[in-house]
Amino acid sequence: MRVERVFERAADLISGSRFCVALTGAGISAESGVPTFRGSNGLWKRYRPEELATPEAFFRDPELVWEFYKWRMEMVLNARPNPAHRALAELERMGILRAVITQNVDDLHREAGSRNVVELHGNIFRVRCTSCPYREDLKESGRAGEFVEETDVPRCPECGSLLRPDVVWFGEALREETIGKAFHLAQEADLMLVVGTSGVVYPAAYLPRVVKEHGGRIIEVNVEESAITPIADVFVQGKAGEVLPVLVNRVEAAKAGENLPQRE
Ligand code: APR
Ligand code: ZN
């Protein structure tokens, strides 16, 4: 399909959707300077996830794992939402996008103004105790900057045990409530925008399939084909920060066109 036709088709599907949701991955934050995991310069090309992103790795070497996560926290603290994050927030404001289901832990969707955000893999600015119920949202408490600067391994102010990042590591289950909400949204959706994910990590990668099984359609935005592309109804090849604003502008123009007084 010619590029122009692809954009037209995607914008038409978005404008005509009844219940649109987005599923995003690391690719949507790439233009904010946050590295992806599996691309050519991906984190898992440089580091071994089994040494940095599993419960075993953490209890084996909490200093190393905290060094990795503080490095990522600092990087994300200096990152800003890019036009792709803002385009999804705009679609939500227009009443078209009902929710963003994200695999990202970088908080950039919320920073961009998205309000209904389902964080499948947690949030890098939340920490929790490995022993007691203590948890802290470092952005809310305003302690993110100083937390990153601390050199010691963070410990629980209540019981002294190790604190850990409140993210989902490999081999860990997602929170029941989170995955339940995501699956419910996918069942309701007649359209899912899948943006910047390789589609190889489950259960997130099931969600586009749930949409299809319930008769919904998939628009994928990615710089290259992914494991989701075979089930995409429309594949828009390109950078999310360039593609999504164009699609939202077309949807806004179509909406404005609808509201114009119809000439007799
Ligand atoms: N615009 C759109 N897509 C992009 C861009 C961009 N500017 N840059 C990269 N991409 C695409 C890549 O082509 C790739 O398909 O984003 C995708 C990133 O894939 P991954 O690095 O595998 O990230 P993701 O799919 O989010 O990984 C899922 O794996 O490591 C775990 O928990 C981690 O949440 C993560 C999960
Ligand atoms: Zn504790």
PDB file of all heavy atoms in Angstrom, residues 25-27 30-31 36-39 44 103-104 121 170 196-199 201 221-224 226 238-240, ligand 1:
ATOM      1  N   GLY A  25       5.715   0.296  23.598  1.00  0.00           N
ATOM      2  CA  GLY A  25       6.962  -0.322  24.060  1.00  0.00           C
ATOM      3  C   GLY A  25       8.078   0.701  23.999  1.00  0.00           C
ATOM      4  O   GLY A  25       7.861   1.887  23.723  1.00  0.00           O
ATOM      5  N   ALA A  26       9.285   0.225  24.233  1.00  0.00           N
ATOM      6  CA  ALA A  26      10.460   1.104  24.372  1.00  0.00           C
ATOM      7  C   ALA A  26      10.655   2.022  23.169  1.00  0.00           C
ATOM      8  O   ALA A  26      11.203   3.120  23.285  1.00  0.00           O
ATOM      9  CB  ALA A  26      11.707   0.255  24.593  1.00  0.00           C
ATOM     10  N   GLY A  27      10.186   1.599  22.002  1.00  0.00           N
ATOM     11  CA  GLY A  27      10.390   2.395  20.775  1.00  0.00           C
ATOM     12  C   GLY A  27       9.742   3.753  20.838  1.00  0.00           C
ATOM     13  O   GLY A  27      10.228   4.708  20.228  1.00  0.00           O
ATOM     14  N   ALA A  30      12.224   6.052  22.363  1.00  0.00           N
ATOM     15  CA  ALA A  30      13.567   6.120  21.730  1.00  0.00           C
ATOM     16  C   ALA A  30      13.911   7.567  21.361  1.00  0.00           C
ATOM     17  O   ALA A  30      15.032   8.027  21.593  1.00  0.00           O
ATOM     18  CB  ALA A  30      13.600   5.233  20.491  1.00  0.00           C
ATOM     19  N   GLU A  31      12.940   8.324  20.841  1.00  0.00           N
ATOM     20  CA  GLU A  31      13.234   9.708  20.411  1.00  0.00           C
ATOM     21  C   GLU A  31      13.315  10.661  21.605  1.00  0.00           C
ATOM     22  O   GLU A  31      13.575  11.843  21.435  1.00  0.00           O
ATOM     23  CB  GLU A  31      12.178  10.167  19.393  1.00  0.00           C
ATOM     24  CG  GLU A  31      12.328   9.420  18.059  1.00  0.00           C
ATOM     25  CD  GLU A  31      11.028   9.303  17.306  1.00  0.00           C
ATOM     26  OE1 GLU A  31      10.308   8.302  17.540  1.00  0.00           O
ATOM     27  OE2 GLU A  31      10.734  10.202  16.513  1.00  0.00           O
ATOM     28  N   THR A  36      16.265   1.511  23.783  1.00  0.00           N
ATOM     29  CA  THR A  36      15.363   0.346  23.718  1.00  0.00           C
ATOM     30  C   THR A  36      16.126  -0.856  24.265  1.00  0.00           C
ATOM     31  O   THR A  36      17.241  -0.718  24.769  1.00  0.00           O
ATOM     32  CB  THR A  36      14.952   0.088  22.244  1.00  0.00           C
ATOM     33  OG1 THR A  36      16.148  -0.171  21.509  1.00  0.00           O
ATOM     34  CG2 THR A  36      14.217   1.285  21.665  1.00  0.00           C
ATOM     35  N   PHE A  37      15.503  -2.029  24.181  1.00  0.00           N
ATOM     36  CA  PHE A  37      16.137  -3.228  24.747  1.00  0.00           C
ATOM     37  C   PHE A  37      16.765  -4.097  23.675  1.00  0.00           C
ATOM     38  O   PHE A  37      17.848  -4.655  23.859  1.00  0.00           O
ATOM     39  CB  PHE A  37      15.076  -4.037  25.528  1.00  0.00           C
ATOM     40  CG  PHE A  37      14.572  -3.301  26.732  1.00  0.00           C
ATOM     41  CD1 PHE A  37      13.383  -2.579  26.680  1.00  0.00           C
ATOM     42  CD2 PHE A  37      15.319  -3.281  27.903  1.00  0.00           C
ATOM     43  CE1 PHE A  37      12.927  -1.877  27.791  1.00  0.00           C
ATOM     44  CE2 PHE A  37      14.866  -2.585  29.016  1.00  0.00           C
ATOM     45  CZ  PHE A  37      13.674  -1.873  28.961  1.00  0.00           C
ATOM     46  N   ARG A  38      16.044  -4.214  22.519  1.00  0.00           N
ATOM     47  CA  ARG A  38      16.500  -5.247  21.551  1.00  0.00           C
ATOM     48  C   ARG A  38      16.974  -4.670  20.229  1.00  0.00           C
ATOM     49  O   ARG A  38      17.367  -5.406  19.357  1.00  0.00           O
ATOM     50  CB  ARG A  38      15.350  -6.249  21.332  1.00  0.00           C
ATOM     51  CG  ARG A  38      15.072  -7.051  22.579  1.00  0.00           C
ATOM     52  CD  ARG A  38      13.853  -7.945  22.499  1.00  0.00           C
ATOM     53  NE  ARG A  38      13.648  -8.548  23.804  1.00  0.00           N
ATOM     54  CZ  ARG A  38      13.018  -7.924  24.796  1.00  0.00           C
ATOM     55  NH1 ARG A  38      12.512  -6.713  24.619  1.00  0.00           N
ATOM     56  NH2 ARG A  38      12.883  -8.485  25.975  1.00  0.00           N
ATOM     57  N   GLY A  39      16.881  -3.337  20.088  1.00  0.00           N
ATOM     58  CA  GLY A  39      17.349  -2.760  18.819  1.00  0.00           C
ATOM     59  C   GLY A  39      18.865  -2.869  18.746  1.00  0.00           C
ATOM     60  O   GLY A  39      19.514  -3.403  19.655  1.00  0.00           O
ATOM     61  N   TRP A  44      19.754  -4.819  26.038  1.00  0.00           N
ATOM     62  CA  TRP A  44      20.074  -6.253  26.148  1.00  0.00           C
ATOM     63  C   TRP A  44      21.109  -6.694  25.113  1.00  0.00           C
ATOM     64  O   TRP A  44      21.483  -7.847  25.028  1.00  0.00           O
ATOM     65  CB  TRP A  44      18.808  -7.097  26.050  1.00  0.00           C
ATOM     66  CG  TRP A  44      17.771  -6.830  27.096  1.00  0.00           C
ATOM     67  CD1 TRP A  44      16.416  -6.955  26.955  1.00  0.00           C
ATOM     68  CD2 TRP A  44      17.965  -6.375  28.458  1.00  0.00           C
ATOM     69  NE1 TRP A  44      15.766  -6.630  28.101  1.00  0.00           N
ATOM     70  CE2 TRP A  44      16.681  -6.259  29.054  1.00  0.00           C
ATOM     71  CE3 TRP A  44      19.080  -6.054  29.227  1.00  0.00           C
ATOM     72  CZ2 TRP A  44      16.499  -5.845  30.366  1.00  0.00           C
ATOM     73  CZ3 TRP A  44      18.904  -5.644  30.537  1.00  0.00           C
ATOM     74  CH2 TRP A  44      17.631  -5.541  31.100  1.00  0.00           C
ATOM     75  N   GLN A 103       4.443  -0.967  28.246  1.00  0.00           N
ATOM     76  CA  GLN A 103       5.445  -1.879  28.818  1.00  0.00           C
ATOM     77  C   GLN A 103       6.576  -1.063  29.439  1.00  0.00           C
ATOM     78  O   GLN A 103       7.435  -1.601  30.109  1.00  0.00           O
ATOM     79  CB  GLN A 103       6.007  -2.810  27.740  1.00  0.00           C
ATOM     80  CG  GLN A 103       4.949  -3.666  27.060  1.00  0.00           C
ATOM     81  CD  GLN A 103       5.505  -4.375  25.853  1.00  0.00           C
ATOM     82  OE1 GLN A 103       6.102  -5.468  25.954  1.00  0.00           O
ATOM     83  NE2 GLN A 103       5.324  -3.788  24.692  1.00  0.00           N
ATOM     84  N   ASN A 104       6.570   0.237  29.168  1.00  0.00           N
ATOM     85  CA  ASN A 104       7.663   1.105  29.608  1.00  0.00           C
ATOM     86  C   ASN A 104       7.503   1.472  31.081  1.00  0.00           C
ATOM     87  O   ASN A 104       6.384   1.566  31.585  1.00  0.00           O
ATOM     88  CB  ASN A 104       7.694   2.386  28.762  1.00  0.00           C
ATOM     89  CG  ASN A 104       7.867   2.084  27.282  1.00  0.00           C
ATOM     90  OD1 ASN A 104       8.326   1.002  26.921  1.00  0.00           O
ATOM     91  ND2 ASN A 104       7.472   3.002  26.432  1.00  0.00           N
ATOM     92  N   HIS A 121       4.639  -3.158  33.408  1.00  0.00           N
ATOM     93  CA  HIS A 121       5.903  -3.600  34.005  1.00  0.00           C
ATOM     94  C   HIS A 121       6.360  -2.700  35.142  1.00  0.00           C
ATOM     95  O   HIS A 121       7.526  -2.723  35.522  1.00  0.00           O
ATOM     96  CB  HIS A 121       6.999  -3.692  32.923  1.00  0.00           C
ATOM     97  CG  HIS A 121       6.669  -4.695  31.870  1.00  0.00           C
ATOM     98  ND1 HIS A 121       7.239  -4.673  30.621  1.00  0.00           N
ATOM     99  CD2 HIS A 121       5.803  -5.737  31.856  1.00  0.00           C
ATOM    100  CE1 HIS A 121       6.743  -5.668  29.892  1.00  0.00           C
ATOM    101  NE2 HIS A 121       5.864  -6.323  30.624  1.00  0.00           N
ATOM    102  N   PHE A 170      12.193 -10.200  34.782  1.00  0.00           N
ATOM    103  CA  PHE A 170      11.991 -11.467  34.063  1.00  0.00           C
ATOM    104  C   PHE A 170      11.734 -12.567  35.086  1.00  0.00           C
ATOM    105  O   PHE A 170      12.398 -12.623  36.123  1.00  0.00           O
ATOM    106  CB  PHE A 170      13.240 -11.800  33.231  1.00  0.00           C
ATOM    107  CG  PHE A 170      13.392 -10.922  32.030  1.00  0.00           C
ATOM    108  CD1 PHE A 170      14.320  -9.897  32.026  1.00  0.00           C
ATOM    109  CD2 PHE A 170      12.579 -11.081  30.918  1.00  0.00           C
ATOM    110  CE1 PHE A 170      14.456  -9.050  30.929  1.00  0.00           C
ATOM    111  CE2 PHE A 170      12.701 -10.246  29.813  1.00  0.00           C
ATOM    112  CZ  PHE A 170      13.643  -9.232  29.826  1.00  0.00           C
ATOM    113  N   GLY A 196       5.964   0.914  18.779  1.00  0.00           N
ATOM    114  CA  GLY A 196       7.331   0.801  19.292  1.00  0.00           C
ATOM    115  C   GLY A 196       7.576  -0.391  20.193  1.00  0.00           C
ATOM    116  O   GLY A 196       8.255  -0.271  21.220  1.00  0.00           O
ATOM    117  N   THR A 197       7.027  -1.559  19.806  1.00  0.00           N
ATOM    118  CA  THR A 197       7.350  -2.755  20.579  1.00  0.00           C
ATOM    119  C   THR A 197       7.738  -3.886  19.638  1.00  0.00           C
ATOM    120  O   THR A 197       7.200  -4.011  18.548  1.00  0.00           O
ATOM    121  CB  THR A 197       6.170  -3.199  21.490  1.00  0.00           C
ATOM    122  OG1 THR A 197       6.574  -4.343  22.254  1.00  0.00           O
ATOM    123  CG2 THR A 197       4.918  -3.527  20.692  1.00  0.00           C
ATOM    124  N   SER A 198       8.707  -4.691  20.085  1.00  0.00           N
ATOM    125  CA  SER A 198       9.128  -5.829  19.260  1.00  0.00           C
ATOM    126  C   SER A 198       8.099  -6.955  19.365  1.00  0.00           C
ATOM    127  O   SER A 198       8.110  -7.892  18.577  1.00  0.00           O
ATOM    128  CB  SER A 198      10.498  -6.334  19.727  1.00  0.00           C
ATOM    129  OG  SER A 198      10.451  -6.610  21.129  1.00  0.00           O
ATOM    130  N   GLY A 199       7.229  -6.878  20.391  1.00  0.00           N
ATOM    131  CA  GLY A 199       6.136  -7.844  20.517  1.00  0.00           C
ATOM    132  C   GLY A 199       6.592  -9.249  20.870  1.00  0.00           C
ATOM    133  O   GLY A 199       5.956 -10.224  20.516  1.00  0.00           O
ATOM    134  N   VAL A 201       7.647 -10.063  24.212  1.00  0.00           N
ATOM    135  CA  VAL A 201       7.556 -10.322  25.655  1.00  0.00           C
ATOM    136  C   VAL A 201       6.092 -10.505  26.034  1.00  0.00           C
ATOM    137  O   VAL A 201       5.241  -9.663  25.701  1.00  0.00           O
ATOM    138  CB  VAL A 201       8.213  -9.178  26.455  1.00  0.00           C
ATOM    139  CG1 VAL A 201       7.942  -9.325  27.949  1.00  0.00           C
ATOM    140  CG2 VAL A 201       9.714  -9.176  26.205  1.00  0.00           C
ATOM    141  N   VAL A 221       2.761   1.006  14.547  1.00  0.00           N
ATOM    142  CA  VAL A 221       3.735   2.044  14.169  1.00  0.00           C
ATOM    143  C   VAL A 221       5.087   1.574  14.673  1.00  0.00           C
ATOM    144  O   VAL A 221       5.287   1.360  15.873  1.00  0.00           O
ATOM    145  CB  VAL A 221       3.367   3.407  14.806  1.00  0.00           C
ATOM    146  CG1 VAL A 221       4.434   4.461  14.467  1.00  0.00           C
ATOM    147  CG2 VAL A 221       1.981   3.867  14.340  1.00  0.00           C
ATOM    148  N   ASN A 222       6.012   1.355  13.742  1.00  0.00           N
ATOM    149  CA  ASN A 222       7.337   0.862  14.129  1.00  0.00           C
ATOM    150  C   ASN A 222       8.311   1.202  12.996  1.00  0.00           C
ATOM    151  O   ASN A 222       7.912   1.310  11.848  1.00  0.00           O
ATOM    152  CB  ASN A 222       7.285  -0.662  14.340  1.00  0.00           C
ATOM    153  CG  ASN A 222       8.452  -1.165  15.177  1.00  0.00           C
ATOM    154  OD1 ASN A 222       9.592  -0.766  14.944  1.00  0.00           O
ATOM    155  ND2 ASN A 222       8.172  -2.025  16.145  1.00  0.00           N
ATOM    156  N   VAL A 223       9.596   1.357  13.377  1.00  0.00           N
ATOM    157  CA  VAL A 223      10.595   1.682  12.330  1.00  0.00           C
ATOM    158  C   VAL A 223      10.899   0.438  11.491  1.00  0.00           C
ATOM    159  O   VAL A 223      11.411   0.531  10.384  1.00  0.00           O
ATOM    160  CB  VAL A 223      11.899   2.244  12.939  1.00  0.00           C
ATOM    161  CG1 VAL A 223      11.664   3.630  13.530  1.00  0.00           C
ATOM    162  CG2 VAL A 223      12.461   1.307  14.005  1.00  0.00           C
ATOM    163  N   GLU A 224      10.573  -0.727  12.063  1.00  0.00           N
ATOM    164  CA  GLU A 224      10.783  -1.956  11.268  1.00  0.00           C
ATOM    165  C   GLU A 224       9.715  -2.974  11.651  1.00  0.00           C
ATOM    166  O   GLU A 224       9.000  -2.795  12.633  1.00  0.00           O
ATOM    167  CB  GLU A 224      12.183  -2.532  11.533  1.00  0.00           C
ATOM    168  CG  GLU A 224      12.409  -2.922  12.981  1.00  0.00           C
ATOM    169  CD  GLU A 224      13.871  -3.291  13.263  1.00  0.00           C
ATOM    170  OE1 GLU A 224      14.765  -2.863  12.505  1.00  0.00           O
ATOM    171  OE2 GLU A 224      14.094  -4.015  14.238  1.00  0.00           O
ATOM    172  N   SER A 226       7.836  -6.193  13.189  1.00  0.00           N
ATOM    173  CA  SER A 226       8.004  -6.813  14.513  1.00  0.00           C
ATOM    174  C   SER A 226       7.201  -8.111  14.528  1.00  0.00           C
ATOM    175  O   SER A 226       6.599  -8.491  13.522  1.00  0.00           O
ATOM    176  CB  SER A 226       7.451  -5.875  15.582  1.00  0.00           C
ATOM    177  OG  SER A 226       6.025  -5.928  15.523  1.00  0.00           O
ATOM    178  N   GLY A 238       7.796   3.845  10.353  1.00  0.00           N
ATOM    179  CA  GLY A 238       8.384   5.162  10.603  1.00  0.00           C
ATOM    180  C   GLY A 238       8.582   5.375  12.093  1.00  0.00           C
ATOM    181  O   GLY A 238       8.180   4.550  12.908  1.00  0.00           O
ATOM    182  N   LYS A 239       9.224   6.509  12.386  1.00  0.00           N
ATOM    183  CA  LYS A 239       9.480   6.829  13.794  1.00  0.00           C
ATOM    184  C   LYS A 239       8.178   7.299  14.447  1.00  0.00           C
ATOM    185  O   LYS A 239       7.471   8.157  13.877  1.00  0.00           O
ATOM    186  CB  LYS A 239      10.534   7.938  13.894  1.00  0.00           C
ATOM    187  CG  LYS A 239      11.926   7.494  13.481  1.00  0.00           C
ATOM    188  CD  LYS A 239      12.916   8.620  13.696  1.00  0.00           C
ATOM    189  CE  LYS A 239      14.357   8.141  13.499  1.00  0.00           C
ATOM    190  NZ  LYS A 239      15.319   9.234  13.779  1.00  0.00           N
ATOM    191  N   ALA A 240       7.922   6.807  15.626  1.00  0.00           N
ATOM    192  CA  ALA A 240       6.664   7.152  16.313  1.00  0.00           C
ATOM    193  C   ALA A 240       6.520   8.664  16.475  1.00  0.00           C
ATOM    194  O   ALA A 240       5.430   9.219  16.288  1.00  0.00           O
ATOM    195  CB  ALA A 240       6.640   6.473  17.678  1.00  0.00           C
TER     196      ALA A 240
HETATM  197  N1  APR B   1       9.635   4.683  16.617  1.00  0.00           N
HETATM  198  C1  APR B   1       8.919   3.526  16.576  1.00  0.00           C
HETATM  199  N2  APR B   1       9.438   2.311  16.885  1.00  0.00           N
HETATM  200  C2  APR B   1      10.736   2.273  17.239  1.00  0.00           C
HETATM  201  C3  APR B   1      11.552   3.433  17.305  1.00  0.00           C
HETATM  202  C4  APR B   1      10.947   4.678  16.973  1.00  0.00           C
HETATM  203  N3  APR B   1      11.631   5.831  17.002  1.00  0.00           N
HETATM  204  N4  APR B   1      12.809   3.058  17.691  1.00  0.00           N
HETATM  205  C5  APR B   1      12.770   1.722  17.878  1.00  0.00           C
HETATM  206  N5  APR B   1      11.540   1.245  17.598  1.00  0.00           N
HETATM  207  C6  APR B   1      11.042  -0.132  17.716  1.00  0.00           C
HETATM  208  C7  APR B   1      12.050  -1.212  17.388  1.00  0.00           C
HETATM  209  O1  APR B   1      12.010  -1.498  15.999  1.00  0.00           O
HETATM  210  C8  APR B   1      11.512  -2.390  18.223  1.00  0.00           C
HETATM  211  O2  APR B   1      10.535  -3.118  17.495  1.00  0.00           O
HETATM  212  O3  APR B   1      10.718  -0.320  19.078  1.00  0.00           O
HETATM  213  C9  APR B   1      10.810  -1.713  19.401  1.00  0.00           C
HETATM  214  C10 APR B   1      11.571  -1.848  20.707  1.00  0.00           C
HETATM  215  O4  APR B   1      11.573  -3.210  21.047  1.00  0.00           O
HETATM  216  P1  APR B   1      12.242  -3.658  22.426  1.00  0.00           P
HETATM  217  O5  APR B   1      13.550  -2.988  22.583  1.00  0.00           O
HETATM  218  O6  APR B   1      12.156  -5.154  22.474  1.00  0.00           O
HETATM  219  O7  APR B   1      11.285  -3.047  23.557  1.00  0.00           O
HETATM  220  P2  APR B   1       9.895  -3.614  24.068  1.00  0.00           P
HETATM  221  O8  APR B   1       9.157  -4.288  22.965  1.00  0.00           O
HETATM  222  O9  APR B   1       9.218  -2.511  24.780  1.00  0.00           O
HETATM  223  O10 APR B   1      10.360  -4.719  25.153  1.00  0.00           O
HETATM  224  C11 APR B   1       9.347  -5.299  25.929  1.00  0.00           C
HETATM  225  O11 APR B   1      11.021  -6.386  27.290  1.00  0.00           O
HETATM  226  O12 APR B   1      13.048  -6.188  28.346  1.00  0.00           O
HETATM  227  C12 APR B   1      11.691  -6.224  28.541  1.00  0.00           C
HETATM  228  O13 APR B   1      10.489  -5.244  30.297  1.00  0.00           O
HETATM  229  C13 APR B   1      11.221  -4.932  29.140  1.00  0.00           C
HETATM  230  O14 APR B   1       9.208  -3.690  28.704  1.00  0.00           O
HETATM  231  C14 APR B   1      10.307  -4.349  28.074  1.00  0.00           C
HETATM  232  C15 APR B   1       9.866  -5.566  27.316  1.00  0.00           C
END
